Amino acid sequence: MISVAIDGPVGAGKSTVARECAKRLGFIYADTGALYRAIGLYAVRKGVESGAEDHAEKVSALLSEITVEIKLENGTQKVFLCGEDVSVEIRQPKISMEASAVSAIPAVRDFLLELQRNIAKENDVLMDGRDIGTVVLPSADVKIFITASPEIRARRRFEELVNKGVETDFDQVLADLNRRDWQDSHRAVAPLKMADDAVLLDTSELDFEQSVQAVIDLVREKV
Ligand code: DC
């Protein structure tokens, strides 16, 4: 099995680029952020939100009630939370922030580790996240760290939300992105960090097709 680890900050284009590359390479695409989002959603539904003093304990206590699964339907990843398809609901901006908060809890990271590793055991996979090259798949065949400047990432995210009809404000998008990056890269366990053996791909000056091509070239060079 071939595994490609793609990590990077919010809005670097990881998921859109990785999804297209997986299609062209005939690999499956695994979006691991969706798993943290599902746990964030479950916690919110139970009234457990970030900022509370005992947030980590409360979220950890909920884990025994939770099942999270990823299923591929017509090549599209769907996420199931306790059997319910939550693929759309987990994309809300509020859940982005709650996902980032629950992802800092060690018990949550342990809870999702095997699930992610099992996907790579059974499939040629392009897996995207924050700690795939460093923790989840340290022996991945190819590791790519995708980034772009914060303003460009916020601009892309802003346009994506506007296209979806979500009313939003650019400065708010930039502030949320910076906050989430800070949280994701400063947590004690498995922070967002480029693996020593990863290739850095800065997409600030690249369009979508150029970014896809750059990733495919890196994969073909190595496998
Ligand atoms: O990729 P995303 O924006 O959907 O991820 C949501 C949050 O989940 C992100 O802010 C950090 C966390 N995450 C993580 O800690 N590790 C991963 N492998 C993927 C996501």
Side-chain angles (χ1 to χ4, degrees):
M1 291 299 153
I2 298 168
S3 48
V4 180
I6 301 202
D7 292 300
V10 177
K14 294 185 307 281
S15 59
T16 44
V17 169
R19 189 178 297 116
E20 178 62 21
C21 293
K23 199 153 96 189
R24 294 193 198 173
L25 290 163
F27 289 16
I28 70 154
Y29 164 62
D31 163 15
T32 62
L35 302 170
Y36 292 93
R37 286 170 180 271
I39 297 193
L41 174 65
Y42 190 88
V44 169
R45 283 180 175 177
K46 292 283 169 180
V48 177
E49 298 202 7
S50 56
E53 217 174 86
D54 51 357
H55 178 247
E57 290 74 39
K58 283 194 169 149
V59 173
S60 303
L62 292 175
L63 291 173
S64 61
E65 305 168 8
I66 301 180
T67 57
V68 185
E69 291 161 285
I70 287 184
K71 289 183 193 162
L72 274 180
E73 286 183 5
N74 304 321
T76 304
Q77 175 182 295
K78 299 266 173 161
V79 186
F80 291 81
L81 173 63
C82 302
E84 175 193 349
D85 182 356
V86 292
S87 312
V88 174
E89 207 173 340
I90 56 169
R91 296 294 150 198
Q92 298 165 41
K94 175 177 173 59
I95 301 303
S96 304
M97 208 55 86
E98 295 301 321
S100 174
V102 300
S103 76
I105 304 169
V108 171
R109 306 205 70 85
D110 283 349
F111 181 77
L112 294 174
L113 190 58
E114 274 317 294
L115 171 59
Q116 297 170 84
R117 288 190 174 154
N118 285 341
I119 298 171
K121 265 187 211 149
E122 291 158 13
N123 307 279
D124 289 333
V125 68
L126 235 135
M127 189 173 282
D128 111 39
R130 302 291 188 287
D131 62 336
I132 309 304
T134 50
V135 176
V136 178
L137 304 176
S139 317
D141 300 281
V142 185
K143 297 182 186 179
I144 305 172
F145 193 87
I146 301 191
T147 191
S149 74
E151 286 72 23
I152 288 183
R153 292 189 284 117
R155 174 67 50 200
R156 290 177 185 160
R157 177 52 56 102
F158 175 72
E159 282 167 7
E160 195 183 309
L161 290 169
V162 169
N163 285 337
K164 276 193 202 153
V166 178
E167 224 177 277
T168 184
D169 168 73
F170 177 77
D171 291 337
Q172 186 61 48
V173 172
L174 179 61
D176 281 357
L177 180 138
N178 281 328
R179 190 167 138 221
R180 201 140 70 88
D181 278 352
W182 196 92
Q183 267 179 203
D184 293 346
S185 42
H186 288 81
R187 63 180 179 229
V189 186
L192 166 65
K193 186 167 142 278
M194 183 168 144
D196 293 338
D197 51 352
V199 178
L200 179 67
L201 178 64
D202 187 328
T203 64
S204 301
E205 306 289 329
L206 304 182
D207 65 19
F208 176 68
E209 182 56 33
Q210 289 168 324
S211 306
V212 168
Q213 208 47 60
V215 169
I216 289 187
D217 290 348
L218 285 170
V219 174
R220 294 224 164 103
E221 244 169 54
K222 297 220 177 178
V223 296

